[in-house]
Amino acid sequence: MANPEHKEALDRLDKVSVCMYRLGISVFSLALLSYVFVLLDKAMLFSLPNQFEYYTLLAVGVSTALSAANVHVYSKWVRAAITYTGWLGLVLLLSDIDMVRVWLSLGFVFVTFSGIALKESFCFKVVGLKIVPVLLAISVPLIMLELWLACAALLGVSGFILGYLSIVKWRMPLHFDIGIKARYEI
């Protein structure tokens, strides 16, 4: 957790991992906002090129890989839960060529970013961050049931909150993400 009084000495790998983590959050927020347009297209309220959904899901996959690989959490069990659900969601996303169980893949990805949102809400005071896990959890069955408009609204709000988080994160010093290295369980 961020401790402004403590400034950990960061090596190059620490700096790269923090930047990749923050980049993952930024890309995920943009991917959520892009997926809103995909859902509006499915509801026939918007018209998109055929490949737009694939590129949006590719952005979801990239953001998941970036954030899951570089999340900084002291507890190894919490870190493993956040990380492994993301990797599982990524594997399911890559194995779903016909995109028939996107809801399942996104469900695991949403667990990862819900964990990240909760982690960040404990560390930093970002408005709306604690509601993101609820919004993401509700959106999974909405995708499965093809309730596109309701899901678009929830993912849009989540995308904006996470986008605001990413702006706040990029303004912070890098050592805020690392915290105190001695507290990490290996």
Side-chain angles (χ1 to χ4, degrees), residues 8-25:
E8 190 71 49
L10 303 181
D11 59 22
R12 185 169 289 161
L13 184 60
D14 292 330
K15 292 176 184 176
V16 168
S17 72
V18 169
C19 289
M20 293 295 105
Y21 171 73
R22 291 179 179 185
L23 181 62
I25 293 171

Side-chain angles (χ1 to χ4, degrees), residues 87-162:
W87 291 119
L88 181 57
L90 192 55
V91 167
L92 289 172
L93 193 61
L94 291 172
S95 67
D96 190 14
I97 296 169
D98 297 327
M99 296 180 21
V100 292
R101 37 173 221 277
V102 169
W103 62 272
L104 183 61
S105 309
L106 289 177
F108 283 104
V109 168
F110 289 173
V111 168
T112 294
F113 281 97
S114 293
I116 288 171
L118 287 175
K119 171 226 184 253
E120 295 297 340
S121 73
F122 290 124
C123 298
F124 309 107
K125 304 297 182 225
V126 175
V127 176
L129 205 51
K130 289 186 180 184
I131 194 83
V132 168
V134 175
L135 298 176
L136 293 178
I138 294 171
S139 65
V140 173
L142 292 178
I143 294 170
M144 185 182 71
L145 297 171
E146 299 181 359
L147 298 171
W148 307 128
L149 292 178
C151 186
L154 297 179
L155 293 182
V157 172
S158 299
F160 279 116
I161 293 170
L162 290 170

Side-chain angles (χ1 to χ4, degrees), residues 160-172:
F160 279 116
I161 293 170
L162 290 170
Y164 178 66
L165 170 67
S166 72
I167 291 168
V168 170
K169 296 289 289 173
W170 283 109
R171 291 180 178 168
M172 293 178 187

